[in-house]
Amino acid sequence: MSDAPLVDVRDIVAGYGDGPVLDGVSLSVERGDFVGLVGPNGAGKTTLLQTINGVLEPDRGEVLVDGATVNDLSSRAASRRVATVPQDTTVAFEFPVEAVVEMGRTPHRGRLSGDPDGREAIERALDRTDTARFRERPVGSLSGGERQRVVLARALAQATPALVLDEPTASLDVNHQVRTLELVRALTREGKGALAAIHDLDLAARFCDRLAVLADGDVRAVGPPEEVLTGERVAAVFDTPAAVVPSPVTGAPTVTPLSDPDQGRATGHGHEYEHDSTSGVGRDTGRSPKLGDLQVHVTGAGTAAARTVATLAAAGATVTAGVVPKNGLAASVAREHDVDTVEASPFEPVDAATEAAARDHLAAADVAVLAGDLPPSLRALVRDHDAIVRVTDGGTGRERRDTGSEEITGNTGEFRADSRATPATVVEAVRQVADRPVAADD
């Protein structure tokens, strides 16, 4: 067997006439390798897959599959080397499912020899994709997810060494998402090479051997998921703050976005919000929010604390954190933003040294933020500060009315208890209590 990569993309430039979508992309897939292709919408993932299967000829560079340049091959020869599962699973005519899967054998049929291996390949593909029970149904009668599995079965029946998949889990329920990616991984363990564009970063990290990050027409990083998926890289590529921590169940990286991209105002990418004394809510001023003159200390846990730390750091404040749960989401986000953090085990009492370290940060802070549901001991730690903002998860508590979202209150009383905690309202609440601190009424 050759030591050359099964799929070898060499410095390709490709597009559709209005300028290149891909500009100098190089990437390889080995036999036995499952590579996840991730990146924002419009990054060129589909374009890259189309250059690999020969649908799109690059303007420059070349793609080799199993040692042959794809665009030098006939369609029949290329289809014996690489099979495709496209995004669009529409089938033009109302063929029975079995007939659709049988189409995958077309490259293997000879004029005289027929296809002696065809029946076995078709049955195996139907069985492995759990579509044998649909074999006699018209493909148009199936749901989108069922049709997706039929198209995957057609690709498996094609029996190629290389497999490219464009969002193969997009129309599937959770059960079949997992089963599909487990199947692709099993196929690579049998010697195939697979490259799949996957929208869900958590699924990609869990099932793929390597991830390739595509953005702005080029591959920005390639490697094991735990090396490629960092909060800094996710923020840069997807334009949203994120925390990346290992899953306690699978050990694979999990990505938690910390704000909606449409609410990027508080991360310095959009607008500042200003308090309206008449309506009691914020209004857009068109300015970038900055807290560069403030030091803010965050005490809390979970998503509320993580989002608060990321939001305030991005808005330019000098942020400290603690006490937060050791190795939890808030601690991970704090590390991503180089925030000085005091951590403690979530299941043990806070010892004297840890409490003293947190109090030192509080003493230096202009504003203290309580984020998430906290035990009385941590609330007591902050209660004597004269400028406090509370960001809660919205569940129980006398000030919480909207139980479906986080809420925010400032000790100035100028934010309503049911104000939704967006980056903009967090920044504005911190600014308000810094301007007009009063004694906490906790």
Side-chain angles (χ1 to χ4, degrees), residues 27-381:
L27 181 66
S28 64
V29 180
E30 306 286 345
R31 293 165 178 81
D33 200 9
F34 186 6
V35 179
L37 187 62
V38 300
N41 293 337
K45 299 186 291 296
T46 298
T47 302
L48 177 57
L49 298 183
Q50 289 178 337
T51 66
I52 292 171
N53 64 19
V55 170
L56 179 66
E57 183 172 0
D59 301 317
R60 191 188 76 203
E62 63 177 347
V63 178
L64 284 77
V65 178
D66 205 15
T69 301
V70 169
N71 291 109
D72 290 344
L73 299 172
S74 67
S75 175
R76 185 184 184 90
S79 296
R80 287 196 295 265
R81 284 172 166 81
V82 57
T84 302
V85 178
Q87 273 191 33
D88 185 0
T89 60
T90 302
V91 177
F93 299 99
E94 287 293 288
F95 293 107
V97 164
E98 185 173 354
V100 173
V101 177
E102 188 176 357
M103 292 174 189
R105 300 302 302 171
T106 302
H108 301 278
R109 292 196 182 100
R111 292 182 179 178
L112 300 177
S113 62
D115 182 18
D117 299 325
R119 177 45 50 191
E120 182 182 353
I122 292 165
E123 292 300 327
R124 186 168 55 248
L126 286 166
D127 180 62
R128 297 189 79 168
T129 56
D130 191 28
T131 53
R133 55 200 169 104
F134 304 140
R135 67 168 70 233
E136 296 180 359
R137 287 179 56 181
V139 69
S141 70
L142 303 181
S143 70
E146 291 167 342
R147 195 165 58 247
Q148 184 89 6
R149 286 152 49 203
V150 170
V151 173
L152 175 59
R154 182 180 64 188
L156 297 190
Q158 204 167 324
T160 57
L163 186 62
V164 296
L165 308 98
D166 197 354
E167 300 289 358
T169 60
S171 300
L172 303 180
D173 58 36
V174 172
N175 173 41
H176 284 99
Q177 285 180 351
V178 171
R179 292 178 65 177
T180 295
L181 295 180
E182 283 179 337
L183 173 57
V184 175
R185 185 168 62 182
L187 293 167
T188 64
R189 300 307 180 257
E190 296 167 8
K192 292 184 183 290
L195 177 65
I198 301 176
H199 178 74
D200 189 311
L201 296 180
D202 289 358
L203 285 175
R206 178 177 171 185
F207 289 99
C208 296
D209 302 305
R210 294 187 296 142
L211 298 182
V213 180
L214 188 65
D216 300 322
D218 198 5
V219 175
R220 303 279 285 272
V222 182
E226 61 272 15
E227 295 179 8
V228 168
L229 289 181
T230 65
E232 182 179 1
R233 181 168 287 122
V234 171
V237 170
F238 292 92
D239 196 29
T240 187
V244 181
V245 296
S247 165
V249 177
T250 67
T254 62
V255 178
T256 303
L258 298 175
S259 65
D260 189 314
D262 293 334
Q263 295 173 339
R265 298 179 289 267
T267 65
H269 300 300
H271 299 162
E272 173 185 348
Y273 275 66
E274 180 177 88
H275 182 69
D276 184 323
S277 59
T278 302
S279 65
V281 298
R283 64 179 179 84
D284 192 338
T285 69
R287 300 189 298 272
S288 296
K290 290 297 177 184
L291 297 173
D293 56 339
L294 293 178
Q295 183 159 332
V296 184
H297 183 77
V298 179
T299 297
T303 302
R307 287 175 174 162
T308 300
V309 168
T311 293
L312 296 175
T318 300
V319 183
T320 56
V323 180
V324 298
K326 188 174 183 178
N327 296 325
L329 183 60
S332 174
V333 172
R335 285 191 293 271
E336 290 281 354
H337 290 83
D338 295 323
V339 168
D340 194 354
T341 305
V342 179
E343 300 180 42
S345 171
F347 305 110
E348 298 177 5
V350 175
D351 61 34
T354 301
E355 181 178 335
R359 287 191 181 279
D360 287 344
H361 286 317
L362 278 164
D366 299 296
V367 177
V369 179
L370 283 166
D373 290 325
L374 301 175
S377 59
L378 292 186
R379 292 175 65 86
L381 185 67

